[in-house]
Amino acid sequence: MMWSNFFLQEENRRRGAAGRRRAQGQLGSGLTPEREGKVKLALLLAAVGATLAVLSVGTEFWVELNTYKANGSAVCEAAHLGLWKVCTKRLWQADVPAGRETCGPAELPGEANCTYFKFFTTGENARIFQRTTKKEVNLAAAVIAVLGLAVMALGCLCIIMVLSKGAEFLLRVGAVCFGLSGLLLLVSLEVFRHSVRVLLQRVSPEPPPAPRLTYEYSWSLGCGMGAGLILLLGAGCFLLLTLPSWPWASLCPKRGHRAT
């Protein structure tokens, strides 16, 4: 009876020690409430950038191409395009603002014809107002944008692992991913701007003659620009959270009770 009590007490002692070690390990690997709040704030900032990035890449209002209004005609033509498709519209000149010399803006109601670019499937260039796209440049802009979204999703996954599992080493990985995705989006915007300039220069010699065009960048490109900058800012916030606390503690010392 004495030996059975001894073994029972020894088993209870071992279980208690193992439970304390597991609890200490969980406390050591978890985030403090203050640090967790900072990570969540930075993640919220990055989520705003991610939303703008998806909205930008998924819409086709990157640039508007406008023809000049013709005298004696009741309609005029305009177009807007993005990374994936182009939409041409026939607008009533009565709906166009009176002080505007060109057709547009593209948001006005009218007869629209939207088609996806064929260089993603058959490899053909698109023809817009007797002008031909250069598929290599448009493909490069689209691929870079998709890579940016993929890296951004990887960064979100890293930060979620930090918050759920306490794996703080992934903070630096997430910061790099968000910074790289912001840079890729900005590079995609610049490549797309180059594709617009190439499109305007590639005038087809075949009849009918190509109309004069003006272009203006629209809100989808603005969302992409904002997304890239916000993702870079979010990456900077995550990097600051990975730095040791002693430099900031020396700059901002905590106030204590004054000795009397």
Side-chain angles (χ1 to χ4, degrees), residues 23-97:
Q24 290 175 359
Q26 291 176 357
L27 290 174
S29 62
L31 297 173
T32 62
E34 180 182 3
R35 189 170 179 81
E36 183 179 356
K38 294 178 181 179
V39 173
K40 287 182 177 179
L41 284 177
L43 180 60
L44 179 61
L45 179 64
V48 173
T51 304
L52 291 176
V54 173
L55 180 64
S56 173
V57 174
T59 52
E60 63 275 3
F61 286 88
W62 283 51
V63 67
E64 295 181 9
L65 303 176
N66 304 313
T67 61
Y68 283 86
K69 293 189 293 185
N71 295 328
S73 177
V75 295
C76 60
E77 290 184 322
H80 58 89
L81 61 146
L83 296 175
W84 316 108
K85 65 179 179 178
V86 56
C87 295
T88 56
K89 299 185 73 172
R90 293 172 61 89
L91 307 177
W92 294 100
Q93 290 198 24
D95 296 334
V96 179

Side-chain angles (χ1 to χ4, degrees), residues 4 15 87 102 127 137 141 186 210 214 222 238 243:
S4 62
R15 290 179 180 178
C87 295
T102 58
R127 290 174 61 88
V137 184
L186 295 179
T214 61
F238 286 124
L243 296 178

Side-chain angles (χ1 to χ4, degrees), residues 157-181:
L157 181 61
C158 290
I159 303 304
I160 291 174
M161 291 292 293
V162 171
L163 293 174
S164 60
K165 303 298 183 181
E168 291 193 52
F169 67 94
L170 291 177
L171 266 178
R172 186 173 284 105
V173 180
V176 173
C177 289
F178 281 120
L180 182 59
S181 65

Side-chain angles (χ1 to χ4, degrees), residues 49-62 81-85 116 141-150 152 181 184-185 188-189 219-221 223-225 227:
T51 304
L52 291 176
V54 173
L55 180 64
S56 173
V57 174
T59 52
E60 63 275 3
F61 286 88
W62 283 51
L81 61 146
L83 296 175
W84 316 108
K85 65 179 179 178
Y116 285 93
V143 169
I144 294 172
V146 171
L147 285 177
L149 293 183
M152 181 185 66
S181 65
L184 287 174
L185 283 174
S188 176
L189 296 180
W219 59 268
S220 293
L221 190 135
C223 289
M225 178 70 70

